[in-house]
Amino acid sequence: DAKTTQPPSMDCAEGRAANLPCNHSTISGNEYVYWYRQIHSQGPQYIIHGLKNNETNEMASLIITEDRKSSTLILPHATLRDTAVYYCIVASYNTDKLIFGTGTRLQVFP
Amino acid sequence: KAGVTQTPRYLIKTRGQQVTLSCSPISGHRSVSWYQQTPGQGLQFLFEYFSETQRNKGNFPGRFSGRQFSNSRSEMNVSTLELGDSALYLCASSLGDYVNEQFFGPGTRLTVL
């Protein structure tokens, strides 16, 4: 499984967009990019995933570079409830095995 | 639709004992995965069961085992507990047909004394 690199922490003002980067330079052609987050003391929560096209859902947008070596998760209007650890994961098609890295601790402040 | 449930939520055991944790997946989900989370090692994949068969396995010793029943409910067992087994054990369920959104339960907090 490809490894990912994320900054250990980021801050974001409430109401502003939070842009969380992820590097996955060794990703292979059949591997998806997944984002999960974990709010303190809870189980991780799925956010979004993509293969090579940009994706958007009610929670976030995922921008994947054309060479697929990096991606950015965008929370368009961060709220205090978005304070969490965000994990970027690369996983092969047809597996439920997720390899979590250390993630990015996002702190949203008022 | 009810979420993933895990029982018990908290557990205290002593070294050398064994423990069984239970996970009930979301109705219709056929895959159950187990993860261990510790402050030092983070979230680590233990194993995954699909249709009562272990489909994926992480790098944990044989003291960690699991099973899945015909109704997709799953149990994991840890034998001969060690202090280092103290952790939050999380289970996640998904449809299991391909890489899917996984739904995590609240976890079982195991403390080994």
Side-chain angles (χ1 to χ4, degrees):
Chain A
D1 294 326
K3 292 184 179 178
T4 62
T5 304
Q6 299 177 252
S9 63
M10 293 183 65
D11 290 338
C12 179
E14 191 176 21
R16 305 298 294 267
N19 296 279
L20 292 90
C22 179
N23 182 284
H24 33 79
S25 58
T26 59
I27 192 170
S28 60
N30 66 346
E31 291 181 318
Y32 287 73
V33 180
Y34 282 76
W35 284 83
Y36 281 76
R37 73 180 182 183
Q38 187 173 26
I39 296 170
H40 184 62
S41 299
Q42 298 181 20
Q45 176 191 25
Y46 166 86
I47 301 173
I48 198 168
H49 76 277
L51 183 62
K52 53 184 177 182
N53 298 319
N54 298 337
E55 303 287 346
T56 295
N57 63 20
E58 65 279 2
M59 287 183 67
S61 294
L62 173 60
I63 309 297
I64 302 174
T65 57
E66 193 169 340
D67 63 8
R68 303 213 317 128
K69 292 184 177 182
S70 65
S71 61
T72 301
L73 177 75
I74 301 172
L75 306 179
H77 305 287
T79 70
L80 298 179
R81 289 176 296 178
D82 292 322
T83 292
V85 178
Y86 287 76
Y87 296 98
C88 168
I89 300 163
V90 170
S92 297
Y93 179 82
N94 209 21
T95 179
D96 277 331
K97 178 179 179 179
L98 298 178
I99 306 299
F100 286 81
T102 52
T104 295
R105 185 173 299 276
L106 175 68
Q107 179 69 52
V108 180
F109 57 91
Chain B
K1 186 184 275 191
V4 177
T5 58
Q6 293 188 245
T7 55
R9 292 293 311 279
Y10 301 91
L11 205 49
I12 299 175
K13 292 285 188 178
T14 56
R15 279 179 297 175
Q17 287 187 310
Q18 75 165 16
V19 66
T20 299
L21 312 181
S22 180
C23 172
S24 293
I26 290 172
S27 177
H29 285 190
R30 296 164 64 194
S31 169
V32 173
S33 299
W34 288 89
Y35 294 81
Q36 180 197 65
Q37 186 171 28
T38 59
Q41 299 297 318
L43 267 160
Q44 294 185 281
F45 174 81
L46 279 156
F47 31 64
E48 180 221 355
Y49 285 86
F50 177 77
S51 293
E52 302 180 66
T53 301
Q54 188 179 86
R55 189 163 68 171
N56 277 298
K57 188 177 187 304
N59 296 321
F60 278 80
R63 299 186 298 107
F64 292 81
S65 62
R67 60 177 175 169
Q68 187 180 34
F69 303 95
S70 58
N71 61 359
S72 293
R73 191 177 69 84
S74 177
E75 289 181 346
M76 69 162 280
N77 183 276
V78 188
S79 62
T80 319
L81 284 166
E82 302 176 359
L83 295 178
D85 297 332
S86 294
L88 180 66
Y89 289 89
L90 293 155
C91 114
S93 77
S94 72
L95 291 171
D97 290 338
Y98 48 87
V99 185
N100 264 305
E101 172 183 353
Q102 291 192 29
F103 294 82
F104 282 79
T108 294
R109 173 75 61 185
L110 171 66
T111 301
V112 181
L113 302 176

